Amino acid sequence: MAKQKDNKNVIYWLLTGCILIFIMVVVGGITRLTDSGLSISNYKLITGTIPPIGEAEWQEAFELYQQYPEYQKLHSHFTLEDFKGIYFWEWLHRVIGRLIGLVFIFPFIYFLITKQLTKKTIKKCLVLLVLGGFQGFLGWYMVKSGLVDMPDVSHFRLAAHLTTAFLTFAATLWVALDLMYPNKKIIDKKFRNLIIVSYLALIFQIVYGAFVAGLKAGLLHNHWPFMNEGKFMHETVYILEPFYKNLIENPSGIQFIHRTFAYVVVVFILIIWYQGKKMSLTKLQNKALDTLFILVFVQFLLGVLTIIYQVPLWLGVAHQVGAFFLLSAMTFTLHRFSK
C-alpha cells in the first residue's frame, strides 16, 4: 500500500532543513564577527569535512593561511593556537552547509522513490535544492573575494550570501506551511499586498544589515538616536562622489540607511498589526500578528544596543538571530493571510 503523499514525514523533513539553516546562519554570524571566514582558503568538498589532524597537518594549514592578505595585513601576530580558533568556526560553518545538502538531497530522493510527494511539491523542492546549491556557490564566491588584495570579503558578495540564506529558509518554511495548512480560504488581497510590501521592506533592511556587517559600519557612529556629534545625518554620510556611492559603498552612508530604514520597517509592521486587528481573525492569524508586533520591537532594541556597544560578539549574533526570527514571523504571517 502506497504511503500518503505530502505526509507528516515530509513536513518534518522540511522543518529540519529550516532548523539547520537557522543554525548555519548563527554559526555564519559568529564566523564573520570573529574574523574567521578567510581561515580556510581552499575548498575541498569531501576531504575538507575532516579538520587537520596532528601538528604536521595543522602547520600545513597555517602556512597556507599565511600566504593570503588577511594574515599578512591583519593577523601577522597570530600563533598556531590563534589560527586554530578561527579555523574552527569556518570549518564548522562549512560542515553544517554540507550537512544541509545531505539532509535535503537524500530524503528528497527517498520520498521520490517511495512516491510520497505530489507533483506540485516536487517542483517546489527542486526550487529549494537549486537555492541551496546557489547558496553554497555564493559562499565560495564570497570567500574568494577576500583572498586577492584586501583581507576582507566583498560586502556585496556577503550580502548576497546572507540574503540568499534567509530567502532559502523562508522558501523552505513556506513549502512546509503549504503542507501543514492545505485548506484554502478567502483572502483579503489588499491586506495581503500590504504584508508583501512590508516583507520586501524587511528584505531590503536585511540586505543593508549585511552591508553594515561587511563594511564593519557598526563600529561607526555608536550613538542613538542620533549619529556622531548629535547629528541626525552626519556629514560623513554623503562625502563620496558620485553621490550614489554613498548608498552602497560608504560605511557611514550605509549605516545611516540601515538605522533610519529600521523605523520604516517598524511603521509597516505597526500598520499591519493595527489593520489586522480590525479584521475577523483566526487564532493563528491573531498569534501571527502579535508575534510580529513583539519581534519587531525586540529586533529594533537589539539593533540600538548593537550600535551603542560597538557590536560585541553576543549582541551582533543576537541581532542577526532577531532578523531571522522576524523574517520567520513575517513569512508565517504572509502565509496565513495568503492561503
Side-chain angles (χ1 to χ4, degrees), residues 218-231:
L219 301 176
L220 307 171
H221 308 293
N222 300 110
H223 308 277
W224 188 82
F226 302 113
M227 301 180 87
N228 287 0
E229 300 163 21
K231 296 178 180 178

Side-chain angles (χ1 to χ4, degrees), residues 166-182:
F166 275 71
L167 293 177
T168 303
F169 168 85
T172 306
L173 178 60
W174 188 274
V175 176
L177 291 172
D178 276 349
L179 304 185
M180 292 164 68
Y181 306 106

